Amino acid sequence: MSNNPRSVSILLVDDDEINNFISIKLIKKALVSSEIKACLNGKFAIDELLKTQASGAENLPDYILLDINMPLMNGWEFLDEYKRLNIDPAGKSKIFIISSSVFSNDINKAKSYTLVKDFISKPLNIDKIRELFETEKHV
């Protein structure tokens, strides 16, 4: 692994604009070399990913941070549509559920999706973000 880290691309899918603002600030502090796009619901995220995929699968984000409870298309519907459309057949994007839900059925449901790497409880903080990306580097 080189000492020159490449930029990490992240798609943040959450309907809470204040939460997105804070998450983006924290991610940029933890990962200086990051490009972050935010979508306010799963439908917008699917549309964004389809556009990105059309320009080349290598342009898909490295990470998708996905909230569960959103209008228009929630996190579960997003995952089903993402899989149905085969947006990332090579598995470039690592998907993490980021949710304030403390219900064990949501946590278990998240783990039932092979697409989902982990379930992370909100609120995000710099330590959780660093831990998430540090763990990923060593996988």
Side-chain angles (χ1 to χ4, degrees):
M1 194 174 262
S2 72
N3 290 341
N4 188 4
R6 67 174 190 80
S7 180
V8 174
S9 61
I10 299 162
L11 180 63
L12 179 61
V13 187
D14 192 333
D15 63 320
D16 185 334
E17 293 189 56
I18 293 166
N19 197 48
N20 287 347
F21 178 80
I22 294 166
S23 295
I24 289 168
K25 290 280 186 208
L26 288 171
I27 292 167
K28 288 204 170 281
K29 193 171 184 177
L31 291 172
V32 178
S33 215
S34 58
E35 296 169 35
I36 308 164
K37 277 187 186 166
C39 292
L40 295 175
N41 65 57
K43 173 79 175 93
F44 293 159
I46 290 289
D47 293 345
E48 181 65 37
L49 288 166
L50 287 171
K51 274 191 279 184
T52 304
Q53 181 197 46
S55 71
E58 70 279 359
N59 297 320
L60 287 169
D62 298 306
Y63 298 93
I64 298 173
L65 306 181
L66 178 66
D67 188 23
I68 297 172
N69 298 312
M70 298 176 285
L72 208 54
M73 180 186 280
N74 68 31
W76 309 126
E77 293 164 332
F78 169 89
L79 288 168
D80 293 339
E81 192 68 355
Y82 183 90
K83 187 174 183 177
R84 186 184 72 76
L85 294 170
N86 201 22
I87 288 177
D88 184 15
K92 179 183 190 278
S93 301
K94 293 172 181 65
I95 302 175
F96 291 87
I97 300 280
I98 309 283
S99 179
S100 52
S101 172
V102 292
F103 297 114
S104 59
N105 60 332
D106 280 340
I107 296 167
N108 291 334
K109 186 172 182 177
K111 291 179 178 176
S112 77
Y113 280 86
T114 54
L115 293 169
V116 175
K117 298 289 181 198
D118 205 353
F119 185 102
I120 297 160
S121 296
K122 286 181 183 174
L124 281 182
N125 61 43
I126 196 111
D127 292 330
K128 282 184 189 175
I129 291 167
R130 283 195 176 123
E131 187 180 312
L132 166 80
F133 294 109
E134 276 302 310
T135 303
E136 277 301 301
K137 273 195 249 174
H138 301 295
V139 171

